[in-house]
Amino acid sequence: FSLRAGNRDIDTVLTWGFPNIRYWSHLATWLLPLAAAAQRSGSLAALPLVKGLFVLSGSFWWWILFSTSARGSALGLLIGSLVVVALFKRDALGWLRSLGVQFLGGSALWLILTLFLPWSFFGAAELREIDADSAGRILLWREAWEMSLVNFPFGMGPQSWLTHVVLSEGYASSKPYGHPHNMYLLWAAEYGWISVVALAFAAAAIIRSVLSCRRRLRAGGCDHTILAGFTASVVAASVHSGFSAVLIAPASMLTGFLVLTLFMSTLRPPYLAVSLSCSISPRRLMRLSSGLALLTVLVVGPFWMHEIGRYYQDNMEDRLTYKGQGSIYSPRFWSHGDFPRQLVED
């Protein structure tokens, strides 16, 4: 349809499902490693037709990734693959082979659909350029770094990226965004470096669990494809989070929650026998748990409601500096960068 309409710029009409390239690339980062794992795992993958559909699906994902030149996703997938090879070595060859087949399929689709066909129809093809610069991210990272040092190590508080007084001169003259395109610097700026350190401890524990699970699989002579795919997906998303809003964009956040949940379940031993000797009766234990839950709600509830009220007031103030398209106002969570209140002079 694009070619019939005389459009050579293929990437502008790709149905990636979102009005922004970054949101598409977030999902590609999470799901492309899993598409490779699905190609050779499970009973359905043994059927030639199903395996062919997996290959075709993964190839189309790669084609769109090439056509949109999503740099963060490409870098994340590359590092995720290298980490899997380093951790699993020969046991990762099956997953890596599937990923390579889909990668080559996507390359072939790109050559045919994005390059050859437009050239055949119009004598030229409009290819999306790959930017070599930081796309303004350095100024955003510097601002987030300055913020993280204000109340070190506890940060400036939730939503402070959108409401704080500008600290660095470069950010004041840059294009406003709703996040600094680096999840770790965003957390350090708003919740402090203490939150990043806690995340590092959790990551170290997960790496230890991955190595332990790998040893169990190797001892049992089991296939490593599923574990390799999920490991590559999580590592790729973690790397991509250093360059984009992978963990706060709604579609990516929901997808990532599912992927992380399944990933953690694969690290769990298949049979976990636990013997508990407890003198507390089930009814008493239920009452104790209910009491603790009620106490938590009574203590945390007022603070929670206060923060909801503050968020509402901030949204009302944001209406005065809303720069989105049209007159339809939407909350800041859904319209990143449309509320540069901190850049507006009094």
Side-chain angles (χ1 to χ4, degrees):
F1 291 132
S2 175
L3 295 176
R4 288 183 60 184
N7 183 10
R8 293 178 294 178
D9 198 4
I10 299 296
D11 70 283
T12 61
V13 294
L14 291 179
T15 54
W16 54 52
F18 303 96
N20 190 306
I21 175 182
R22 296 173 184 85
Y23 292 171
W24 147 253
S25 65
H26 294 173
L27 297 187
T29 303
W30 284 112
L31 299 178
L32 272 171
L34 301 184
Q39 180 183 326
R40 52 174 288 116
S41 301
S43 57
L44 287 177
L47 301 175
L49 176 60
V50 175
K51 182 175 293 187
L53 290 175
F54 279 132
V55 173
L56 187 62
S57 176
S59 298
F60 271 107
W61 279 65
W62 278 108
W63 168 58
I64 299 178
L65 194 66
F66 294 150
S67 299
T68 56
S69 63
R71 298 175 298 171
S73 183
L75 180 62
L77 290 168
L78 174 61
I79 295 179
S81 300
L82 293 176
V83 169
V84 165
V85 171
L87 290 178
F88 297 92
K89 298 180 174 61
R90 294 178 59 88
D91 295 325
L93 290 180
W95 171 82
L96 194 63
R97 189 179 300 112
S98 298
L99 186 69
V101 169
Q102 296 180 9
F103 176 87
L104 292 176
S107 302
L109 288 174
W110 182 83
L111 289 173
I112 297 172
L113 301 177
T114 305
L115 187 62
F116 177 73
L117 282 182
W119 181 82
S120 300
F121 275 84
F122 311 112
E126 296 288 342
L127 302 180
R128 189 184 186 95
E129 296 181 358
I130 301 178
D131 297 328
D133 58 8
S134 66
R137 285 175 169 82
I138 299 298
L139 296 177
L140 304 178
W141 295 350
R142 186 176 301 167
E143 178 71 13
W145 172 265
E146 294 291 340
M147 288 177 61
S148 70
L149 301 179
V150 173
N151 294 323
F152 183 86
F154 301 107
M156 297 182 67
Q159 302 290 331
S160 58
W161 175 263
L162 297 171
T163 59
H164 76 285
V165 177
V166 175
L167 300 175
S168 61
E169 183 178 351
Y171 179 66
S173 59
S174 67
K175 183 179 179 180
Y177 288 99
H179 55 85
H181 285 70
N182 185 312
M183 293 293 91
Y184 310 110
L185 282 176
L186 175 64
W187 291 332
E190 294 192 341
Y191 301 100
W193 285 105
I194 190 171
S195 65
V196 179
V197 171
L199 180 64
F201 278 110
I206 291 175
I207 294 173
R208 183 178 178 182
S209 298
V210 169
L211 296 176
S212 176
C213 185
R214 174 181 174 271
R215 287 192 294 267
R216 289 198 307 270
L217 292 174
R218 170 167 283 189
C222 299
D223 187 29
H224 289 68
T225 300
I226 294 295
L227 182 60
F230 274 107
T231 302
S233 174
V234 172
V235 172
S238 300
V239 173
H240 196 177
S241 296
F243 303 94
S244 191
V246 174
L247 300 177
I248 61 172
S252 175
M253 183 169 58
L254 293 172
T255 302
F257 180 76
L258 175 62
V259 173
L260 286 171
T261 301
L262 296 174
F263 174 58
M264 297 303 295
S265 70
T266 62
L267 301 180
R268 199 166 161 266
Y271 299 103
L272 187 62
V274 180
S275 58
L276 296 176
S277 57
C278 185
S279 58
I280 304 178
S281 64
R283 179 175 296 180
R284 186 178 179 184
L285 184 61
M286 179 64 70
R287 289 179 178 176
L288 180 61
S289 301
S290 301
L292 290 175
L294 178 60
L295 181 62
T296 302
V297 170
L298 292 176
V299 173
V300 179
F303 175 76
W304 181 274
M305 295 304 297
H306 171 74
E307 289 300 309
I308 291 177
R310 190 170 69 89
Y311 183 83
Y312 172 75
Q313 293 298 328
D314 284 336
N315 271 273
M316 297 304 294
E317 293 184 32
D318 284 337
R319 291 174 180 265
L320 303 178
T321 56
Y322 180 58
K323 293 185 178 297
Q325 297 180 355
S327 59
I328 301 176
Y329 173 81
S330 59
R332 61 177 64 176
F333 183 80
W334 303 98
S335 301
H336 297 306
D338 290 340
F339 310 100
R341 189 201 326 165
Q342 74 272 41
L343 301 179
V344 178
E345 296 181 359
D346 295 333

